């Protein structure tokens, strides 16, 4: 296969007779070949005899396919790349062979005429092509013209009209395969009943969900610590919220609690200073001290509800609130019972006087408040309160709050406090018409009426609010109810001590 063509190249005439020349001399300048290594060596052996140069411009190694391999055709792009590289190597090889090849034109047996410029550079014909990129990112090369150089520095430019028509068809936008425009992010597709699948409506994503791509089939929920933005195409972090000292509501409640605490301290100081006056003695000064102290602690308890919830504050909040208020109401109940027994003891032949004294009052306070202490101990021992993050009550906020642990125990402690208040109000109401010397029953009746009204309105308001507003409602109820007790019971006595000292006499009290 290799020897015959090579002998034909080296021989002249019809027969392959080496070294025989007849007629016009034809000198072979060089032989270009692109055979594999074995054949190239055979060619080199024959050409070496005639001192003819040999140039291998490309070496392609072929091998037999393995059992699991298949013979496949190269892609068109790979073929064009290989042929372009071979053509480039052929040109460089010709240029390196001999200076007389730098003429303006020469011919070969495989391609059209090849032209060189005045410097001997190859002037190749140019194809004018258009690369068409389809929506699926595939590419097609369309030739629609040619630029060719002729002998006398003359260029010939041709255009194929059919190819231009083909390009216009390829570049033409494809028709839409749907009845409506695409759904933007933040919307989801909903098929129209009775219409093709390409026809659909775009509905906004529901609250708490988003869609981040066009033509979303469904909306997805944001993580628990995030919420959708306004157009519902992205999730943004939620804000942690609690009743703090930095916001206006927290500042107002804290300031109010502090002022009321100072007023209570002032009232306690007045009663201690004027402890030997008849008005203080007549109203059982020891019980007044206990009541003022419990009211002071109830005001200070409000500070446990302000600030970020922690384990310690969550444990102390409700237990301190219910126990302190139970002591306050028990003290008011003890004062009321003492007033009633003191009136009954003045009747002739009545043996109730032996029950009067500190023992009865202290027993009432310890027994009534002790039950509340037991309830709170069971609460803390079984299911104590703890801090938690509520991510679901508010769409854009994470509420930092105290979980009550056992809701049953919370309302049980609150209910017992209400039970004491009802008993105290009932006893004071029945004793409202006692003589003037024992008129504290009227003040207690009014104070307990305010106390019960506040906590009756507290329950529906507390249950209808969420987050820090719920905490604010409880603090406000604590401050108002404690203020009611402070003002209704102690303000009239302070008025007599400072503004009407003529009424602060034993004779005046006994005259009524």
């Amino acid at each position: 296969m290799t020897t015959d063509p090579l002998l034909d190249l080296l021989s002249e005439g019809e027969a392959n007779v080496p070294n025989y020349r007849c007629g016009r001399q034809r000198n072979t300048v060089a032989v270009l070949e692109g055979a594999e290594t074995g054949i190239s060596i055979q060619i080199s052996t024959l050409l070496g005899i005639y001192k003819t140069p040999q140039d291998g411009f490309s070496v392609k190694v072929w091998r037999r396919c393995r059992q699991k391999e298949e013979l496949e055709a190269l892609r068109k792009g790979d073929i064009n790349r290989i042929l372009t590289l071979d053509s480039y190597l052929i040109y460089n090889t010709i240029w390196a062979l001999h200076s007389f090849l730098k003429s303006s034109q020469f011919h070969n047996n495989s391609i059209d005429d090849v032209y060189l410029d005045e410097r001997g550079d190859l002037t190749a014909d140019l194809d004018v092509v258009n690369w068409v990129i389809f929506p699926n990112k595939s590419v097609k090369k369309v030739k629609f013209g040619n630029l060719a150089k002729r002998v006398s520095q003359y260029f010939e430019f041709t255009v194929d009209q059919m190819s231009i028509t083909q390009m216009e068809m390829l570049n033409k936008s494809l028709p839409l395969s749907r009845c409506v425009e695409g759904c933007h992010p933040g919307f989801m597709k909903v098929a129209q009943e009775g219409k093709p699948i390409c026809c659909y409506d775009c509905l906004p994503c529901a609250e708490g969900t988003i869609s981040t791509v066009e033509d979303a089939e469904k909306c997805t929920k944001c993580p628990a610590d995030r919420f959708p933005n306004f157009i519902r195409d992205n999730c943004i972090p939620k804000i942690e919220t609690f009743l703090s000292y930095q916001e206006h509501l927290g500042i107002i409640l804290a300031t109010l609690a502090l002022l009321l605490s100072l007023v209570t301290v002032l009232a306690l100081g007045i009663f201690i200073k004027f402890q030997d006056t008849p008005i203080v003695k007549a109203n059982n000064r020891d019980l007044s001290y206990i009541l003022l102290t419990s009211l002071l602690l109830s005001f200070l308890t409000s500070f446990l509800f302000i600030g970020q919830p922690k384990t310690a504050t969550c444990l102390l909040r409700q237990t301190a609130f219910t126990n302190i208020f139970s002591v306050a109401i028990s003290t008011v109940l003890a004062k009321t019972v003492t007033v009633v027994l003191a009136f009954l003891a003045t009747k002739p032949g009545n043996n109730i006087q032996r029950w009067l004294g500190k023992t009865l009052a202290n027993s009432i306070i310890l027994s009534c408040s002790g039950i509340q202490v037991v309830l709170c101990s069971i609460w803390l021992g079984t299911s104590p309160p703890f801090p938690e993050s509520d991510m679901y009550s508010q769409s854009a906020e994470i509420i930092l709050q105290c979980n009550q642990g056992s809701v049953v125990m919370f309302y049980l402690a609150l209910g017992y406090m209400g039970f004491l208040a009802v008993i105290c109000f009932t006893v004071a109401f029945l004793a409202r018409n006692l003589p003037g010397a024992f008129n504290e029953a009227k003040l207690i009746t009014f104070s307990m009426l305010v106390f019960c009204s506040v906590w009756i309105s507290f329950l529906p308001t507390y249950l209808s609010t969420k987050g820090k507003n719920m905490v604010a409602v409880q603090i406000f109820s604590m401050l108002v109810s404690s203020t009611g007790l402070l003002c209704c019971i102690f303000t009239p006595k302070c008025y007599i001590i400072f503004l009407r000292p003529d009424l602060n006499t034993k004779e005046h009290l006994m005259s009524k």
Side-chain angles (χ1 to χ4, degrees), residues 129-148:
V129 299
N130 182 40
W131 296 93
V132 180
I133 303 177
F134 296 98
N136 61 357
K137 306 303 180 182
S138 61
V139 179
K140 179 179 177 61
K141 182 177 72 173
V142 179
K143 175 182 175 182
F144 69 92
N146 179 265
L147 181 64

Side-chain angles (χ1 to χ4, degrees), residues 91-102:
Y91 164 68
N92 286 340
T93 303
I94 295 174
W95 174 256
L97 286 176
H98 204 274
S99 61
F100 72 83
L101 292 178
K102 298 180 183 179

Side-chain angles (χ1 to χ4, degrees), residues 313-380:
T313 55
C314 288
L315 290 173
L316 292 175
R317 276 185 182 184
Q318 303 298 346
T319 53
F321 153 66
T322 52
N323 280 289
I324 291 173
F325 268 76
S326 296
V327 172
I329 299 173
S330 300
T331 305
V332 175
L333 179 61
K335 289 174 70 70
T336 307
V337 171
T338 301
V339 169
V340 174
L341 293 179
F343 171 73
L344 295 176
T346 60
K347 295 181 178 182
N350 199 319
N351 296 324
I352 298 180
Q353 189 174 4
R354 62 180 181 177
W355 294 98
L356 293 175
K358 295 181 179 180
T359 304
L360 177 62
N362 294 335
S363 299
I364 294 175
I365 295 174
L366 291 175
S367 59
C368 292
S369 58
I371 296 175
Q372 187 71 280
V373 171
V374 173
L375 291 176
C376 291
S377 300
I378 297 174
W379 183 7
L380 295 178

Side-chain angles (χ1 to χ4, degrees), residues 468-488:
K468 58 184 179 183
N469 293 329
M470 180 181 290
V471 179
V473 167
Q474 184 170 358
I475 295 175
F476 182 77
S477 299
M478 292 165 56
L479 295 178
V480 173
S481 59
S482 300
T483 304
L485 292 176
L486 177 66
C487 295
C488 293

